[in-house]
Amino acid sequence: MKKRNLLITLTACLIAAMFVGCLKDKDLASEAATTPDQQETVAPFTSEVIPGQYLVVYQEGAITFNRGSARLPYAEVQSIMQEEVRATLQRNNINFAKVMFVYGSSIKGFALKDATAQEIEQLRRDEQIAYIEQDQTVSVMMGGPPGGGGGGGQTTPWGVTRVGGAIDGTNAGKAYIIDSGIDLDHPDLNVDVANSVTFLGGNSTPDDQNGHGTHVAGTVAAVDNTIGVVGVAAGATVVAVRVLDRRGSGSFSGVIAGVDYVGGVAGNNDAANMSLGGGVSTTLDNAVIAAAGGSGCNCPFVLAAGNESDDANNHSPARANGPNVYTVSAMNASDNWASFSNYGNPPVDYCAPGVSIPSLWKDGGYNTISGTSMAAPHVCGILLIGGITTDGTVKFDPDGNPDPIAHH
């Protein structure tokens, strides 16, 4: 079933596991003249099983919060879930030190590391446990330079123009960018550093060490000033939810932790962007659907369809389908289908610009790259500034059911 349109102002919200691979592209003029068969190849999302790591999900109703109709604060939910998980592991003789994450603001469950086959089998027999899924890695293979400063005056990327042009987003909600982090002091962004987080552990920070997340954030909300580029919701606040490392790698468990955070803190005027993906994960799909439509949060989630030239139903979280969940395919400047883009409707809701997209980069830089990772943030920006509509359909959609082109 198609996800419902937002015809009211939504403003905003937003694996490590997966991610749109992107390559530095040809110039815009040559790209606009290409046919679908001439598009450059963009690296697909990838994922591998992580030995000893598992996602454990509770039965519906096994854990309830005494909250009435109100949403409990994220920190309080985390505390409650830690105690519930501790009790679950204690009765199954499993060390609590093996817990990596607990989830309660989307799905209710937890992630384990260094778990033995015997321990997993014991948990499968626990009547409170619905299912257990093995964790997977995800990587984004990035091309192009490592950053560098921008020069000259401000320009409006073709993609921003195609979806209706930049709109003042300074009074809009926040965009939660679940990705490789954001360049926290980029001069062309308004970053909410205080609420930015990392789920990589160790000494990691929300600061982008890869570039991908900063590029996504720029398309959503680059500031309307005299430098660089301008975003769809120009000047809107962006929040870094870092789930990928400097190589663009992460895990489903870490990505779900990021989704759970957004589900716990985002407001009704916010939006979230997930320009990442990999193999199939029921747990990740369910977390996205729950966070987008959960009690106390009406925050749309925008998902990249993926870069495998494949049916998006074969990939998570692209295949997630529910209220406030939008999956986005990619096109070029001639409204032609980007040959790398995944397809299928459902789950794809809209097509948006994703070829040769100029935006921001880490270390105060700028870069031009391609992928459905670049298409999704156009839609995220639209949702921040109001309802989404369409302006035609993409040409050469391989599934024979042309996706509507996103517009504000």
Side-chain angles (χ1 to χ4, degrees):
M1 178 178 287
K2 285 282 290 181
K3 305 155 197 156
R4 61 186 174 89
N5 283 351
L6 289 182
L7 298 177
I8 59 174
T9 300
L10 285 176
T11 74
C13 72
L14 206 276
I15 56 186
M18 11 133 277
F19 290 57
V20 166
C22 302
L23 299 176
K24 186 166 175 71
D25 301 4
K26 304 174 285 235
D27 63 75
L28 185 59
S30 63
E31 191 55 61
T34 62
T35 65
D37 291 337
Q38 294 171 320
Q39 302 283 6
E40 72 271 26
T41 300
V42 176
F45 297 154
T46 61
S47 56
E48 297 178 355
V49 166
I50 304 176
Q53 287 189 195
Y54 294 87
L55 305 168
V56 184
V57 180
Y58 285 100
Q59 295 278 6
E60 185 72 26
I63 298 174
T64 59
F65 301 144
N66 183 21
R67 63 182 181 183
S69 60
R71 179 175 57 163
L72 293 179
Y74 172 76
E76 185 174 345
V77 171
Q78 284 283 294
S79 179
I80 292 171
M81 287 305 302
Q82 286 177 9
E83 292 309 308
E84 293 285 354
V85 172
R86 191 183 301 275
T88 297
L89 296 184
Q90 186 173 33
R91 68 173 175 264
N92 286 286
N93 299 313
I94 300 173
N95 192 334
F96 184 76
K98 294 187 176 186
V99 174
M100 297 187 295
F101 305 105
V102 300
Y103 314 121
S105 297
S106 55
I107 58 169
K108 293 182 176 65
F110 57 98
L112 283 179
K113 63 180 179 180
D114 302 324
T116 67
Q118 181 178 0
E119 289 171 334
I120 295 304
E121 183 56 33
Q122 181 70 21
L123 283 173
R124 291 188 196 280
R125 293 196 295 264
D126 190 304
E127 62 182 14
Q128 284 196 324
I129 302 303
Y131 66 90
I132 299 174
E133 178 181 293
Q134 190 145 21
D135 200 3
Q136 300 179 51
T137 63
V138 157
S139 302
V140 56
M141 300 170 62
M142 296 297 300
Q154 177 177 278
T155 59
T156 301
W158 77 266
V160 173
T161 299
R162 183 63 185 86
V163 301
I167 299 291
D168 182 9
T170 54
N171 293 317
K174 298 178 180 179
Y176 288 82
I177 310 299
I178 304 176
D179 211 293
S180 63
I182 297 174
D183 183 350
L184 300 180
D185 56 2
H186 199 292
D188 218 357
L189 282 174
N190 178 18
V191 185
D192 180 353
V193 177
N195 288 304
S196 293
V197 293
T198 177
F199 290 98
L200 295 182
N203 296 320
S204 67
T205 75
D207 198 39
D208 189 4
Q209 302 297 306
N210 178 274
H212 188 270
T214 302
H215 195 282
V216 167
T219 297
V220 175
V223 178
D224 187 2
N225 49 23
T226 60
I227 63 171
V229 298
V230 62
V232 176
T237 300
V238 293
V239 182
V241 182
R242 189 181 179 198
V243 296
L244 304 176
D245 63 19
R246 67 179 61 242
R247 299 167 299 174
S249 298
S251 63
F252 279 142
S253 57
V255 172
I256 294 168
V259 171
D260 199 62
Y261 174 73
V262 175
V265 302
N268 291 341
N269 292 326
D270 298 337
N273 193 90
M274 299 182 70
S275 287
L276 49 78
V280 167
S281 170
T282 298
T283 310
L284 176 56
D285 297 337
N286 290 343
V288 169
I289 293 168
S295 175
C297 180
N298 188 29
C299 171
F301 272 64
V302 182
L303 317 173
N307 301 329
E308 291 79 13
S309 302
D310 187 21
D311 191 326
N313 286 289
N314 296 327
H315 305 274
S316 294
R319 69 175 192 158
N321 205 9
N324 283 343
V325 181
Y326 299 82
T327 300
V328 184
S329 59
M331 68 182 193
N332 72 5
S334 298
D335 291 356
N336 290 338
W337 183 263
S339 63
F340 55 76
S341 180
N342 287 351
Y343 51 82
N345 189 347
V348 176
D349 297 290
Y350 294 98
C351 190
V355 176
S356 294
I357 303 300
S359 187
L360 315 183
W361 203 246
K362 69 186 183 76
D363 300 327
Y366 297 84
N367 201 357
T368 298
I369 55 179
S370 299
T372 57
S373 277
M374 286 58 258
H378 287 87
V379 174
C380 185
I382 291 171
L383 294 174
L384 278 177
I385 56 177
I388 186 169
T389 184
T390 65
D391 181 25
T393 56
V394 66
K395 293 178 283 188
F396 309 113
D397 189 329
D399 64 17
N401 183 19
D403 298 332
I405 297 171
H407 202 273
H408 62 67

